[in-house]
Amino acid sequence: MRSLENLKNQSFPSISEQAWTEKAEKSLKGKSVESLQTTTYENIILKPLYTRQDECQVPEYPGGSDFRRGIYPLGYLTNDWKVAQRLSCQSVEDLHTKLRQSFKKGQSSISFNVSKNLLGGDQNLGKVLADSYTQYPFSIDAKEYQSTFLTELEAIVEREDASEKISGYVGSDPVAIFAKEGVISEAFLKDWVNNISNSAVKFPNLRTILIDTSAYHNGGSSAAQELGVAIAEGIFYLEHLQDAGMDLDTIFSKMIFQFSIGSNFFMEIAKLRAARVLWSRVSSVYGANEDRSRMNIAVETSTNTKTLHDPYVNLLRAGNEAFAAVVGGIQYLHVSPFDDLTSVTSFSDRIARNTQLLLKEEAHLQKVIDPAGGSWYVEHLTNELAEKAWGFFKRIDANGGILEVLKSKWLQQEIAEVYEKKIHDIQTRRKSIVGTNVYANLDEMVTYKNPPEKNSDFANGDNSLINIEAIPNRRLAEPFEELRKKSVDLEGKVGFKPSVGMICLGGIKQHKARLDFMKGFLAAGGLKALISNSIITVENARKFVLEHPAKHYCICGTNDQYEIIGHDILKILKTEFPERTFYLAGLPEKEKQDLWMDEGINQFIHVKSNCYETLLSILRELEVSKVEETKA
């Protein structure tokens, strides 16, 4: 008992930041702590350690001040987020069945992909929705079909006198549609404004003004750019709807923001918090009622981060993104199924929905009010991101507003610059995509699908169209997926998997490290490593090349082995097989590189190599070789 009492009374000395810095630099073997700093795509410098000195003034409680801590004082305890899994349906009957099944299994919002075949005619969509609209709110991005959809809802209201019972959102974002489709229609925008004005009276509790940033996110934008565009779009709609005669507070109460959530966990939490800070700033400037101007947020997990290969890793990605969304404070959440890029099954739909239920019931996130609140790192990041985003919004405003920056391609170019930085990090493997550019499975079978055609129904008719450059829907894994497809196509032509020979110098201990690196490097492009036995003589190497003919070979070993036998092997092989291409695993000292190149090394492959460009070059040479063989 005495020892337990002593343990309770034990205290630990406080450690100063200077002491921590000295200890860290000792572990870093001479490098400074500043070397651990990283710069994000938002040009925010992340420090390795945040302390009380980084603390900033934040609201004491959620539901007040700038709403960074959430729009409700008790968070999810009183206003739980809605499980809004979007259902894909071919007919109204299919929708009816899936809705009933989903509600029994945890769905808490009416959410589905709106398409032409569900609307109009004798489809009776209104009758199907009448079974559930009093119990569940809507969570619908109706896109260009918003007017038709609301007409279906009007039929319910007229029949049952239940306009106040329709809640949630049935929104549309014309600017986002323009950005995706590459066409601006002034007539469509005018009709949309009139539709919003008319529906405001008919559906007092239904939000209809959607600000959707997913097009920009999936185009490759940074978090700061997403937020800047969201604010620019929000103000654009405020101005247009006020000009149409709508009351300011009514406009604010009809708005809902939709964000895609990416893989940078803390950045995405900060993005949602910063979004509320910025919108609070806007509503304050406009003089809106505080209660009406609270930012409602719908979220979907990102398609930008998902992969065709090793799709089960998408489970982890979506789970991480959903976790960040919930911690960030949201009202609606859609989690994409892990096989969303190929063919969604009832199993993957169930797992996606259950991801949210696990966060609620197992992680107990609905019982914790603002779990990120007070974190020095998150709060500091929120402030930094809010200021970067406000700066980007001001640049949009200075260039004429959201439509003008789309017309002039300014916004597309800004987003493309960030995307190029991201894709360069993926291609050089500074950023890893498990199952794609690292730990690729060569035995995996994947069905490659053509991208869906864009839907331009909204642009039909005489709408005075203005052509702009569309923001493409990109995924970070696509470059390596294209390499894998090239490899599969080539395999179909030659009957065996495209390969690169590995000339392994010395014993296994001497070449294993670089051999393993090269196997992973090549697998990212669908290339197989043909591995030699231990090569200790020139004749061993010559025999391997004769018995395992390939277009490309890579010499693997230690730096010492390279100097002892590597040069001799290369000279002989290059003399006898001049048409073969040779690589060297690793990066020799600078003064030795020219000698290797003179002797016939085509390229040094190492951790800083551009993996994508190297593999693309190899595959293209193999394609050319196959064409030449066919002609011969």
Side-chain angles (χ1 to χ4, degrees):
M1 288 294 293
R2 184 174 297 176
S3 61
L4 181 60
E5 193 66 29
N6 290 337
L7 184 61
K8 288 182 179 179
N9 295 328
Q10 181 69 42
S11 61
F12 297 91
S14 59
I15 302 298
S16 67
E17 185 175 355
Q18 179 61 33
W20 180 88
T21 299
E22 291 174 359
K23 188 71 173 177
E25 289 183 343
K26 186 177 179 180
S27 300
L28 292 171
K29 299 179 180 179
K31 291 184 180 179
S32 66
V33 169
E34 284 72 23
S35 66
L36 299 178
Q37 292 181 347
T38 57
T39 303
T40 70
Y41 299 114
E42 294 75 19
N43 289 321
I44 296 173
I45 296 175
L46 302 181
K47 302 191 299 181
L49 179 68
Y50 286 81
T51 66
R52 192 174 296 277
Q53 282 65 45
D54 297 295
E55 189 174 21
C56 53
Q57 191 66 31
V58 297
E60 189 173 355
Y61 302 106
S65 188
D66 59 14
F67 300 113
R68 75 176 60 208
R69 303 196 61 190
I71 60 175
Y72 302 115
L74 294 179
Y76 299 131
L77 289 175
T78 54
N79 298 85
D80 201 0
W81 81 86
K82 305 302 179 186
V83 178
Q85 292 297 123
R86 286 199 299 270
L87 305 175
S88 292
C89 309
Q90 299 302 315
S91 66
V92 171
E93 291 75 18
D94 185 27
L95 172 63
H96 194 198
T97 301
K98 287 185 176 180
L99 277 175
R100 286 191 301 173
Q101 292 174 345
S102 298
F103 290 143
K104 290 178 182 179
K105 296 177 180 178
Q107 179 96 345
S108 55
S109 180
I110 304 170
S111 184
F112 56 91
N113 292 314
V114 179
S115 59
K116 189 187 294 185
N117 60 330
L118 296 178
L119 301 170
D122 299 324
Q123 296 298 322
N124 290 322
L125 177 62
K127 184 178 179 181
V128 170
L129 299 179
D131 294 342
S132 52
Y133 78 93
T134 57
Q135 301 176 59
Y136 303 99
F138 285 93
S139 174
I140 301 287
D141 178 2
K143 299 183 174 64
E144 64 267 32
Y145 303 115
Q146 184 187 36
S147 178
T148 307
F149 195 102
L150 292 175
T151 300
E152 298 274 1
L153 294 186
E154 284 181 33
I156 300 176
V157 173
E158 292 173 359
R159 186 169 59 248
E160 302 182 16
D161 190 25
S163 62
E164 293 186 357
K165 295 180 181 179
I166 295 179
S167 62
Y169 72 94
V170 176
S172 178
D173 182 351
V175 175
I177 296 173
F178 299 159
K180 290 178 184 177
E181 298 293 337
V183 175
I184 292 177
S185 169
E186 296 287 357
F188 179 80
L189 181 60
K190 184 178 179 180
D191 290 342
W192 178 84
V193 169
N194 292 333
N195 186 45
I196 298 299
S197 300
N198 295 334
S199 63
V201 177
K202 297 174 183 175
F203 306 105
N205 297 318
L206 184 70
R207 295 177 183 268
T208 52
I209 306 167
L210 182 67
I211 294 93
D212 177 19
T213 65
S214 61
Y216 314 100
H217 171 92
N218 291 321
S221 69
S222 69
Q225 289 174 332
E226 279 184 72
L227 294 178
V229 169
I231 299 306
E233 278 200 22
I235 290 176
F236 175 81
Y237 292 141
L238 278 172
E239 297 291 341
H240 271 65
L241 291 167
Q242 276 190 295
D243 290 344
M246 279 188 72
D247 174 70
L248 181 68
D249 285 340
T250 301
I251 299 171
F252 272 99
S253 69
K254 295 296 179 181
M255 286 183 161
I256 185 161
F257 290 75
Q258 180 168 290
F259 296 101
S260 287
I261 297 298
S263 58
N264 190 334
F265 186 76
F266 290 106
M267 183 64 74
E268 297 302 324
I269 294 172
K271 181 172 78 178
L272 297 173
R273 294 164 67 86
R276 291 191 291 270
V277 172
L278 293 170
W279 195 239
S280 174
R281 188 182 299 180
V282 170
S283 61
S284 177
V285 170
Y286 273 83
N289 178 289
E290 184 181 271
D291 188 56
R292 294 291 191 96
S293 63
R294 297 169 190 242
M295 177 185 267
N296 274 247
I297 297 176
V299 157
E300 61 182 16
T301 53
S302 173
T303 61
N304 181 258
T305 60
K306 303 307 181 293
T307 63
L308 281 172
H309 297 99
D310 207 350
Y312 290 107
V313 182
N314 290 334
L315 284 169
L316 303 178
R317 297 182 181 111
N320 176 72
E321 291 161 6
F323 201 130
V326 173
V327 172
I330 57 170
Q331 281 64 60
Y332 302 87
L333 175 59
H334 166 76
V335 178
S336 58
F338 68 85
D339 55 1
D340 200 30
L341 298 174
T342 50
S343 56
V344 177
T345 63
S346 58
F347 172 73
S348 60
D349 258 339
R350 174 190 168 208
I351 293 298
R353 182 175 56 248
N354 285 354
T355 298
Q356 298 200 50
L357 303 183
L358 286 169
L359 293 175
K360 284 176 183 281
E361 307 300 336
E362 300 293 335
H364 301 296
L365 288 184
Q366 86 277 30
K367 296 180 180 179
V368 183
I369 305 171
D370 187 27
S375 162
W376 296 325
Y377 173 42
V378 173
E379 298 293 4
H380 187 84
L381 187 56
T382 298
N383 281 354
E384 286 270 300
L385 184 55
E387 291 309 311
K388 294 287 185 184
W390 189 255
F392 191 73
F393 156 68
K394 290 197 294 185
R395 291 175 64 198
I396 293 174
D397 193 53
N399 281 282
I402 187 64
L403 283 189
E404 290 303 317
V405 296
L406 284 171
K407 291 177 185 177
S408 67
K409 299 183 183 180
W410 179 88
L411 181 58
Q412 293 91 323
Q413 291 166 359
E414 290 287 316
I415 291 173
E417 286 180 13
V418 175
Y419 169 75
E420 290 301 326
K421 292 177 183 176
K422 290 182 178 181
I423 212 67
H424 180 265
D425 287 344
I426 298 297
Q427 290 179 355
T428 56
R429 305 204 299 178
R430 286 184 59 194
K431 301 288 185 182
S432 298
I433 303 179
V434 173
T436 300
N437 69 348
V438 295
Y439 307 120
N441 179 8
L442 287 178
D443 297 325
E444 181 183 15
M445 299 297 292
V446 172
T447 301
Y448 296 94
K449 298 171 64 178
N450 293 324
E453 294 183 4
K454 289 190 293 187
N455 187 344
S456 297
D457 284 350
F458 84 97
N460 290 340
D462 183 15
N463 285 338
S464 303
L465 303 181
I466 302 171
N467 291 317
I468 62 171
E469 182 179 297
I471 295 178
N473 189 21
R474 302 177 173 117
R475 289 183 299 104
L476 295 174
E478 283 179 308
F480 281 95
E481 290 171 355
E482 290 169 4
L483 292 181
R484 295 281 289 274
K485 187 175 186 302
K486 275 182 177 290
S487 177
V488 169
D489 292 342
L490 194 58
E491 182 179 354
K493 294 175 183 178
V494 299
F496 56 86
K497 192 171 289 294
S499 307
V500 175
M502 297 287 111
I503 300 172
C504 303
L505 306 185
I508 190 169
K509 289 184 178 180
Q510 293 169 305
H511 62 247
K512 187 177 186 307
R514 280 177 170 156
L515 173 61
D516 288 345
F517 168 79
M518 285 303 304
K519 287 165 65 178
F521 189 95
L522 295 170
L527 291 161
K528 181 181 178 181
L530 290 174
I531 304 170
S532 73
N533 294 323
S534 296
I535 302 292
I536 56 176
T537 67
V538 172
E539 186 55 33
N540 291 153
R542 183 175 175 277
K543 184 179 178 182
F544 172 71
V545 173
L546 287 171
E547 293 178 352
H548 299 84
K551 173 67 178 173
H552 304 85
Y553 293 88
C554 182
I555 301 174
C556 294
T558 63
N559 291 342
D560 289 341
Q561 283 294 318
Y562 289 163
E563 294 304 315
I564 294 170
I565 194 174
H567 290 285
D568 294 335
I569 287 176
L570 178 61
K571 289 175 185 176
I572 294 297
L573 294 181
K574 195 63 182 174
T575 300
E576 291 195 28
F577 309 100
E579 74 284 0
R580 310 293 170 85
T581 302
F582 293 91
Y583 300 94
L584 188 74
L587 185 63
E589 297 173 3
K590 197 166 185 178
E591 57 271 17
K592 297 179 180 179
Q593 292 177 18
D594 289 341
L595 176 59
W596 282 107
M597 300 291 279
D598 291 340
E599 291 174 347
I601 287 296
N602 179 270
Q603 185 179 334
F604 305 109
I605 298 179
H606 50 89
V607 292
K608 293 184 179 180
S609 294
N610 188 311
C611 182
Y612 171 78
E613 290 184 354
T614 302
L615 297 177
L616 179 61
S617 174
I618 292 173
L619 285 168
R620 282 176 174 170
E621 288 183 24
L622 290 173
E623 287 176 335
V624 171
S625 296
K626 179 57 184 174
V627 170
E628 291 176 349
E629 288 176 13
T630 303
K631 288 180 179 179

